[in-house]
Amino acid sequence: MCTPHNLRLLLVLGAMGCTSNPHIMTPRIAPALAEAGLDLPIGDFRAFTDWIPAYGRGLSVEVRATRSAGDYRRDLDLELEGAAEVCAALGRSEVVLEWDYLEVLFTNEYGRMPPRSREVAGVARVIMRRETLLSLRENKVPASEFPLHWDFVNGFKDQPDSKEVLKW
């Protein structure tokens, strides 16, 4: 139950940089993705506020897309394309302007793949500052060019034929 006291506590914790409850942020951010008409097989989505000292107070978005085994490639291109589309969609929304940065953790899940028949996924994590998002929006920069303007944090991809993970 959300009492006025709990709400004040949540606001204070959010202002201090503690992660917020994704049940509160996700409904605020989801319409921006829905209105963007993304051509991604999004299976799950959540958003929350976070604090990174070098960037300030930000919006962290986790997106999980379901792909077929036939879509799998040993590079990170599909994950980076998905992250770029999410960044572009949220960059067109006014709601992201409340934060100093946007962090996107984009995951493609490829399901079970032979020969080991284990779950295979690829992940890319990127950060874009608010000023960058605004500039890209004003200049109508396409999503395909967003990787030139973000901070790539990390990425990894499972290999269906090996226990070794590909890392970037």
Side-chain angles (χ1 to χ4, degrees):
M1 184 170 150
C2 187
T3 65
H5 175 71
N6 290 348
L7 184 57
R8 279 194 305 273
L9 179 61
L10 180 64
L11 291 172
V12 168
L13 289 174
M16 291 172 54
C18 299
T19 302
S20 69
N21 185 330
H23 298 294
I24 293 171
M25 292 309 305
T26 301
R28 287 193 59 213
I29 305 303
L33 283 180
E35 291 169 7
L38 295 176
D39 187 25
L40 295 170
I42 295 175
D44 191 21
F45 164 79
R46 46 181 244 148
F48 49 92
T49 59
D50 205 358
W51 173 265
I52 297 176
Y55 292 92
R57 190 174 65 96
L59 174 65
S60 292
V61 176
E62 295 177 2
V63 178
R64 296 174 96 63
T66 305
R67 302 276 187 172
S68 71
D71 292 335
Y72 180 85
R73 298 187 309 226
R74 290 192 187 273
D75 56 36
L76 206 58
D77 290 350
L78 278 176
E79 287 72 24
L80 294 174
E81 289 170 13
E85 287 187 47
V86 171
C87 286
L90 292 176
R92 290 188 296 268
S93 169
E94 296 300 316
V95 72
V96 298
L97 302 180
E98 299 173 26
W99 294 278
D100 298 325
Y101 68 90
L102 170 65
E103 175 185 34
V104 173
L105 180 72
F106 189 88
T107 303
N108 277 323
E109 297 174 335
Y110 298 94
R112 293 194 177 281
M113 294 178 63
R116 299 189 189 279
S117 191
R118 62 188 192 92
E119 294 290 327
V120 175
V123 176
R125 181 176 172 220
V126 301
I127 296 177
M128 294 191 81
R129 295 184 186 274
R130 175 183 49 226
E131 295 77 19
T132 303
L133 286 168
L134 285 171
S135 174
L136 296 175
R137 180 196 330 189
E138 290 170 5
N139 294 314
K140 296 181 175 40
V141 174
S144 62
E145 293 183 26
F146 274 53
L148 301 172
H149 304 280
W150 65 30
D151 292 335
F152 176 77
V153 179
N154 58 26
F156 72 86
K157 197 161 208 172
D158 296 324
Q159 298 182 79
D161 56 352
S162 172
K163 290 186 179 180
E164 185 176 326
V165 175
L166 300 171
K167 298 177 184 174
W168 287 268

